[in-house]
Amino acid sequence: MSGNDAYIQISDISKHFGAVKAVDSVNFSIASGEFFSLLGSSGCGKTTLLRLLAGFEAPTKGEVYIDGAPMSQVAPHKRPTNMVFQNYAIFPHLNVEANLAYGLRYDKIEKSEMNKRVEEALEMVQLAGYGKRRSNELSGGQRQRVALARALIKRPKVLLLDEPLGALDKKLREEMQLELRALQEAVGITFIFVTHDQEEALTLSDRIAVMARGQTLQIASPKELYNNPVSVEVAEFIGQMNFVNASVVDVKSGKAVLETAGLGKITASTSKSFVQKGNDIVVAIRPEQLSLRDKPARGQHGVKGTMKTSAYLGDRSHVYVSVEGREQALAVSAQEGTGSVGGLDRGSDVYVTWSDEALILLPH
Amino acid sequence: MSEPSYIDRPNRPLYAYAMFYLAFLYIPILFLPLFSFNDSTYIAFPLKGFTFEWYEQMFSDAPMGAALVNSLKVGAVASVFATLLGVFAAKAVTRYHIPGKRPIVFVIMLPLVVPGILLGVALLILMKQIGVQLSLITVTIGHILICVPFAMATLIPRFEGFDKSMEEASADLGANAISTFWRVTLPMVLPGIIASMLLCFTISFDEFIIAFMLNGSEKTLPIHIFSQLRFPARLPPVLALGSAIIAISFVVVFFSQWLRRYGVDDKPSLGI
Ligand SMILES: Nc1ncnc2c1ncn2[C@@H]1O[C@H](COP(=O)(O)OP(=O)(O)OP(=O)(O)O)[C@@H](O)[C@H]1O
Ligand SMILES: [Mg+2]
């Protein structure tokens, strides 16, 4: 690890509100220039963690270090962070220009330089010409960009974003995601981005911390999270997944033999320590790792089932296949128009197949 | 043509009630301007003739002028101080975590329901005990006391009405607490502050009981008017003054109501 890898260090930090442990012993580091996301369902402590970084909340325990300096005694207005609030918090009594210039006064820069920076910032977020408007004369997306510009104009070392795209419609949201990522790469600022939308987190981030109950469940790159979740809870949160209960019958030289509920006896390669003879585990398989066939395929594992329903998703469909010994149908992803599902009707018998490498073994 | 919806239908009894209500409210008040133009010292029907004499007398009535000035002074000082105290108290109870917040607010609001005469007596005893000479200053102190709850009642919704993330955003952008108060909090609650000052001024301006208990040699206008009631000849100029005050009050109240709403329906506030 170079020193850069721990530009921000969150060291065993907790925040309790009475009996509620909003943030509970969280530890991790963020590198300079990283796009880091906090992902988790409502109430898991994302906002609280962000507010601890900004200095609006004092930790019950632990410390935040930014660039090596402990932050607990540093007031919000003296921290090298700026925040984009969930509700934007644009000052309604000031116009856009005055909102942007608001924080520049404290940076002791000249009036002419100030104006220049405001102009630049407006252009950067594509709001040139909107300087004289007030927040109630702007659309949601425009407000969001004002909030972003107002924080960025301070040239912070760290930008904190609390679900900034939450209030936008899908189309604008996707546009803004691209803009945000491009902007982050252009300015090279460390972004800490809060979201409860896993797709958004996967699209944008260098790394993601998945949170639940005030704790981090896993911190990893989007790819790693998708392909190698560490627990059922994380796997449930990222993308769609089939879960199959299983017990370990035997483990021999990296190959485990599993007795599953519904998929029969299967083998999987693994080196995970919890895969021990006699243990109950969970096997997770992505819908796109399963295929449908009308007859058993040679050399591949498969199980016989009955077509139930299918869900059209545009570029692909999810076909639900019920198999014996399982209450929940298996979701199988099928490319539209490839013909692999074309001939199969509801109620017809099908074979669901997979390859060994597709199986993700998780602790029960 | 669209039919009025269930809730919008005209309602005759309610309309009659509203008319009666307005009459009940305003007819007594209308006697004041009516008799202020009546060419007779006796305040009785039938009306005699039209005159501006009482208005002329009003301007040459030195004691009454002095009382008016006293009342304006007391009202101005009391409204400014009550509102100032109200701003800090409202900010404290809406923004900070204070143990025992509810009982504190309850106690601050209590003078609203304590009869004025009791407050007046209590204050009088207090002033005598600590040996303070009764004067316009003691009256002003009494008025501040009764005005603070009204200031709080006007200001608390204003503070609650704006998101505390505005103040956090200000801090986040580099402003310290004082700077945030001046640049964000104050402009955003300004309409409430003005409304509070107008309300407190009006309360102080026509307050009688406490002023009566606590005044020294200088009189406020209500006290002066009360003392004139014994002399029928001096009454008509009082009516003239009363009419003038009513006219001004209307304007002030109208303005303050307009201010109260200003900003709430998301119009730009005062351009600060
Ligand atoms: N000031 C507070 N006082 C008491 N409890 C609080 C306070 N702030 C947050 N909490 C509690 O802490 C927990 C975490 O809240 P937080 O706002 O951090 O969640 P979040 O992950 O941001 O959720 P969301 O996605 O809904 O915004 C919640 O259970 C919440 O009720
Ligand atoms: Mg939140």
Side-chain angles (χ1 to χ4, degrees), chain B residues 106-144:
Chain B
F106 179 76
V107 171
I108 293 175
M109 292 303 188
L110 208 55
L112 277 179
V113 292
V114 174
I117 187 130
L118 296 184
L119 269 180
V121 171
L123 280 170
L124 184 60
I125 294 170
L126 178 72
M127 296 302 175
K128 289 286 179 205
Q129 284 301 310
I130 59 179
V132 175
Q133 198 76 45
L134 293 185
S135 66
L136 284 182
I137 295 175
T138 48
V139 175
T140 308
I141 291 171
H143 282 183
I144 292 174

Side-chain angles (χ1 to χ4, degrees), chain B residues 148-216:
Chain B
V148 165
F150 288 97
M152 290 275 285
T154 315
L155 289 163
I156 284 180
R158 200 74 212 183
F159 272 92
E160 277 173 346
F162 88 86
D163 200 327
K164 78 174 190 307
S165 65
M166 294 293 168
E167 289 167 313
E168 287 175 345
S170 168
D172 189 66
L173 292 167
N176 62 21
I178 296 168
S179 203
T180 295
F181 186 78
W182 279 108
R183 294 184 71 193
V184 173
T185 314
L186 213 53
M188 290 189 66
V189 297
L190 192 63
I193 288 175
I194 295 174
S196 160
M197 291 216 282
L198 293 176
L199 181 65
C200 292
F201 182 84
T202 325
I203 291 168
S204 162
F205 192 74
D206 76 357
E207 202 285 330
F208 179 79
I209 299 171
I210 286 173
F212 185 73
M213 298 276 182
L214 297 179
N215 76 348

Side-chain angles (χ1 to χ4, degrees), chain B residues 7 25 50 70 91 112 127 139 156 205 217 220 241 252:
Chain B
I7 207 77
L25 213 57
F50 186 83
N70 287 342
K91 161 122 177 132
L112 277 179
M127 296 302 175
V139 175
I156 284 180
F205 192 74
S217 52
T220 61
L241 180 65
V252 168

Side-chain angles (χ1 to χ4, degrees), chain A residues 22-201:
Chain A
V23 172
D24 189 11
S25 303
V26 167
N27 272 294
F28 60 85
S29 301
I30 300 171
S32 176
E34 195 171 2
F35 198 123
F36 191 91
S37 293
L38 300 173
L39 174 65
S41 52
S42 184
C44 72
K46 307 178 296 288
T47 297
T48 308
L49 188 52
L50 213 60
R51 290 169 60 79
L52 284 164
L53 287 166
F56 301 135
E57 306 282 359
T60 309
K61 178 169 75 79
E63 182 65 279
V64 174
Y65 298 89
I66 299 181
D67 209 2
M71 286 290 127
S72 59
Q73 299 306 317
V74 182
H77 67 276
K78 296 207 171 122
R79 295 199 182 195
T81 56
N82 279 114
M83 182 138 159
V84 178
F85 287 78
Q86 192 159 9
N87 60 356
Y88 311 145
I90 296 166
F91 305 127
H93 58 292
L94 301 174
N95 66 21
V96 170
E97 269 174 14
N99 262 282
L100 295 200
Y102 187 92
L104 292 180
R105 180 191 287 198
Y106 307 103
D107 295 346
K108 301 197 173 57
I109 53 177
E110 279 176 35
K111 186 85 189 147
S112 59
E113 165 73 8
M114 228 171 184
N115 293 337
K116 211 181 95 210
R117 276 224 224 163
V118 169
E119 283 308 311
E120 278 172 11
L122 283 175
E123 247 157 58
M124 183 175 62
V125 296
Q126 297 165 26
L127 282 179
Y130 286 79
K132 299 287 180 231
R133 296 216 195 174
R134 284 181 190 254
S135 100
N136 59 335
E137 298 164 327
L138 298 173
S139 74
Q142 289 166 341
R143 269 178 225 180
Q144 194 271 329
R145 282 183 273 183
V146 172
L148 191 63
R150 187 179 65 177
L152 279 173
I153 202 169
K154 294 275 290 178
R155 301 186 180 161
K157 293 181 177 145
V158 181
L159 189 68
L160 309 170
L161 304 107
D162 192 357
E163 301 199 30
L165 310 181
L168 307 182
D169 62 70
K170 190 170 158 55
K171 184 166 172 292
L172 190 56
R173 202 180 160 101
E174 281 167 2
E175 265 174 46
M176 287 305 301
Q177 284 175 3
L178 292 179
E179 281 182 33
L180 207 59
R181 183 72 227 212
L183 197 73
Q184 194 262 346
E185 276 160 14
V187 295
I189 293 172
T190 310
F191 274 35
I192 304 180
F193 184 89
V194 163
T195 180
H196 61 252
D197 179 344
Q198 50 103 8
E199 243 178 83
E200 188 166 277

Side-chain angles (χ1 to χ4, degrees), chain A residues 292-293 303-310 319-324 328-330 332 344-352:
Chain A
L292 284 185
R293 305 195 185 273
V303 66
K304 187 166 171 250
T306 315
M307 275 271 287
K308 261 176 62 186
T309 53
S310 68
V319 179
Y320 291 89
V321 178
S322 64
V323 296
E324 219 173 296
Q328 255 197 318
L330 288 174
V332 182
L344 300 171
D345 292 322
R346 181 176 301 195
S348 54
D349 285 349
V350 289
Y351 288 88
V352 179

